[in-house]
Amino acid sequence: MERKKKQIQAGKIRRVFHSFRYTECDAFAEYLHEMSLDGWHFKKWQMGLLFEKGEPTDITYCVEVFPKGSEMDLKPERQAVEYADYCEVAGWELIDGQRKFCIFRRMDSDAPPIVTEEERFANVRKAEWRQLAFDLFVPLLLTAEFWIRALGSEFSDWIFFPPYLWILLVVTLMAAGWLLQFGRTILWSVRGKRALREGRPVAYERQPFRRVMEWILVILLEVGVIALFACVGMPKAGLVLAGSLLVLLAFAAVVLWFRPSRETNWWVQVGGGAILVFLMIMVVTAVAFTENGPAENRKALARLPLTQADYCEMKGEPDHAEYSYQKSFFGSRLQGTVIWPNEELEENELSYNVYRSEYAWVLHKIWETETDTMYYKGTKETDPRPWKALEVRRNKNGIATCARYEDALLFLYADTPPAADQIELTLETLNLLKDTN
């Protein structure tokens, strides 16, 4: 009997996850009005808009922007309640509020407007610009940071790695979307001022496709980040990240359900968010270290085209090996690192990068960037003929070598470099002889 009662009660409750900007307050009120005509009456905010089933009724709603509200408000605070008392005397009943939104239901058919057109426009415009500035900050900051990194010293890391290019594209589209919203708000503000001058009401209408595009871009970004971990050989870290995002969503849902006060909400979000991010970093780091064990070393060693043993005698087994190969529309990058124990030296390292691209500007950018790194900075031009290259730069002891070919680049660092009679074998092993001019 109790179970049947709960099922009936559940059928009378409906939760809708619609969101509105402050400039859409009339569209918000009209949406609530249409729901009431269908028999769904707004009750409160609780992890979404909560409606209760009843008789279809023609209810007039008014959605106002309370200037003393805060983005951290999940329910009407003291000042909003005091404001609602004045509105109730004028014939408007406060149903609920969140952020700076206050939702009123008209109780008296002769109730006058809660605020004047000028006051309402000023309240909405101020709240919208403040929210828009906050919304723009993160996308623009991320976009600027990513582009600086992609065009700077990390150019070779980004240009050949599709997940990085994907994320760069998505954050750029996100920034463009918010800039479009910025332009929409400017246009709305100009039209609103003109309407007030001409004695017409300001339009607070729904903006089509806005929320859909926001969610699409967020989902695309999350897919790109998860794909990033999978492509770098860390699928477990990608799963951890996906799980962390679900935890963050669950945390937000709990906060929206219990609706703490403004002060409590601030501390909960800052403290809880910091703890969750810290735990996520710890788990991802732990997974990363477990995935880079002996088995991964053996797997990398088997895939490496060149090791020290290919051109000189080595004893024992290498302590560490790394292999990666990325390919994108712009070309490819092969990376290899082998660290071998050495009786005379603490370690014997061989590291190389082979870049291939049909685009001269890509290779030129990489050449300029990589020759300025720690390993290759200070190298000087030398005879390119032994390396069968267009240009070769080496340091005095030959440990660092940079070779430029028609459609490829080689950057090789070796504690035990190949001898003059071993260079051709090295080039053949790395499949660079075909790039000879």
Side-chain angles (χ1 to χ4, degrees):
M1 185 69 179
E2 183 67 23
R3 182 180 179 183
K4 185 175 181 181
K5 183 178 179 181
K6 289 182 178 179
Q7 289 176 342
I8 295 175
Q9 184 67 22
K12 293 183 178 181
I13 298 297
R14 183 176 178 182
R15 183 171 281 103
V16 180
F17 299 99
H18 280 336
S19 65
F20 295 84
R21 297 196 70 86
Y22 292 122
T23 55
E24 300 172 319
C25 53
D26 278 355
F28 194 175
E30 181 60 26
Y31 170 74
L32 298 176
H33 175 246
E34 291 175 357
M35 291 290 286
S36 70
L37 295 177
D38 291 335
W40 291 103
H41 307 298
F42 176 71
K43 291 300 176 183
K44 61 180 178 179
W45 259 295
Q46 190 176 43
M47 205 176 68
L49 299 170
L50 200 65
F51 294 87
E52 186 177 74
K53 186 64 176 177
E55 293 296 325
T57 310
D58 188 359
I59 300 176
T60 299
Y61 292 91
C62 180
V63 178
E64 293 293 342
V65 175
F66 182 52
K68 295 183 180 180
S70 168
E71 295 300 323
M72 299 299 291
D73 291 348
L74 298 180
K75 59 184 178 182
E77 296 292 330
R78 179 181 57 83
Q79 290 179 312
V81 173
E82 294 175 354
Y83 173 66
D85 292 338
Y86 291 103
C87 296
E88 189 170 359
V89 174
W92 294 92
E93 178 190 16
L94 176 67
I95 304 176
D96 201 2
Q98 193 172 99
R99 298 166 56 214
K100 295 187 177 184
F101 277 129
C102 287
I103 299 178
F104 294 90
R105 176 173 53 197
R106 189 169 68 182
M107 305 301 294
D108 187 349
S109 58
D110 296 329
I114 296 175
V115 293
T116 65
E117 280 289 333
E118 290 77 11
E119 290 174 328
R120 193 181 197 208
F121 178 71
N123 293 339
V124 172
R125 184 178 61 176
K126 185 176 181 180
E128 180 69 16
W129 278 117
R130 286 188 175 182
Q131 179 62 29
L132 188 59
F134 177 80
D135 291 341
L136 273 170
F137 178 75
V138 174
L140 290 180
L141 183 65
L142 281 177
T143 303
E145 179 187 358
F146 286 174
W147 274 104
I148 290 172
R149 293 172 61 182
L151 297 177
S153 60
E154 299 179 15
F155 178 78
S156 59
D157 295 325
W158 287 73
I159 198 69
F160 300 124
F161 199 37
Y164 278 172
L165 295 176
W166 178 269
I167 293 174
L168 185 64
L169 173 63
V170 173
V171 296
T172 303
L173 290 176
M174 289 178 66
W178 284 116
L179 288 174
L180 176 62
Q181 182 63 39
F182 184 81
R184 280 179 169 179
T185 305
I186 292 177
L187 183 61
W188 170 84
S189 183
V190 170
R191 289 176 174 175
K193 290 180 180 179
R194 182 188 304 165
L196 291 177
R197 287 196 303 267
E198 297 174 356
R200 296 182 289 106
V202 179
Y204 302 94
E205 301 172 343
R206 185 74 163 163
Q207 297 176 5
F209 308 114
R210 173 188 58 79
R211 201 62 183 174
V212 175
M213 287 302 300
E214 292 175 9
W215 278 108
I216 289 175
L217 289 173
V218 170
I219 292 172
L220 291 176
L221 180 61
E222 292 177 357
V223 169
V225 173
I226 294 172
L228 168 63
F229 284 101
C231 288
V232 297
M234 296 169 59
K236 292 181 182 178
L239 292 176
V240 169
L241 178 62
S244 301
L245 292 175
L246 292 177
V247 172
L248 287 173
L249 289 175
F251 174 76
V254 170
V255 173
L256 292 173
W257 179 274
F258 288 101
R259 306 176 69 191
S261 65
R262 181 188 301 178
E263 292 77 12
T264 304
N265 183 32
W266 191 91
W267 285 108
V268 167
Q269 291 203 33
V270 173
I275 292 173
L276 288 173
V277 170
F278 174 76
L279 292 176
M280 182 178 70
I281 293 174
M282 293 294 291
V283 173
V284 170
T285 302
V287 171
F289 275 110
T290 58
E291 290 185 343
N292 193 26
E296 290 298 317
N297 275 345
R298 290 193 295 270
K299 183 178 178 181
L301 190 62
R303 302 178 69 181
L304 283 168
L306 178 69
T307 70
Q308 294 93 321
D310 291 320
Y311 58 83
C312 63
E313 184 178 352
M314 303 298 296
K315 297 180 181 179
E317 295 293 329
D319 290 336
H320 180 76
E322 294 180 12
Y323 170 86
S324 68
Y325 180 79
Q326 292 101 32
K327 187 175 182 179
S328 73
F329 171 80
F330 297 99
S332 65
R333 177 176 74 170
L334 183 151
Q335 288 182 298
T337 299
V338 187
I339 299 178
W340 222 294
N342 191 296
E343 296 179 357
E344 300 177 359
L345 304 173
E346 291 184 2
E347 60 184 26
N348 190 318
E349 179 181 347
L350 169 66
S351 297
Y352 51 88
N353 290 272
V354 179
Y355 302 96
R356 301 180 190 276
S357 178
E358 298 178 359
Y359 303 98
W361 67 269
V362 172
L363 296 179
H364 176 75
K365 175 66 175 178
I366 295 173
W367 181 262
E368 294 295 323
T369 303
E370 293 296 318
T371 53
D372 196 41
T373 59
M374 178 182 67
Y375 282 167
Y376 307 103
K377 192 171 184 178
T379 53
K380 298 181 179 180
E381 289 191 27
T382 186
D383 186 3
R385 287 175 295 179
W387 291 88
K388 304 184 184 303
L390 300 175
E391 181 182 356
V392 172
R393 297 177 62 177
R394 304 187 75 185
N395 58 6
K396 290 182 179 180
N397 55 12
I399 291 179
T401 302
C402 321
R404 182 171 64 87
Y405 299 87
E406 185 175 349
D407 60 356
L409 300 174
L410 169 65
F411 295 89
L412 187 143
Y413 177 90
D415 289 324
T416 304
D421 58 345
Q422 297 169 335
I423 292 178
E424 185 169 348
L425 174 63
T426 301
L427 296 176
E428 183 178 0
T429 304
L430 294 175
N431 198 26
L432 285 170
L433 288 180
K434 68 177 184 178
D435 297 298
T436 304
N437 188 21

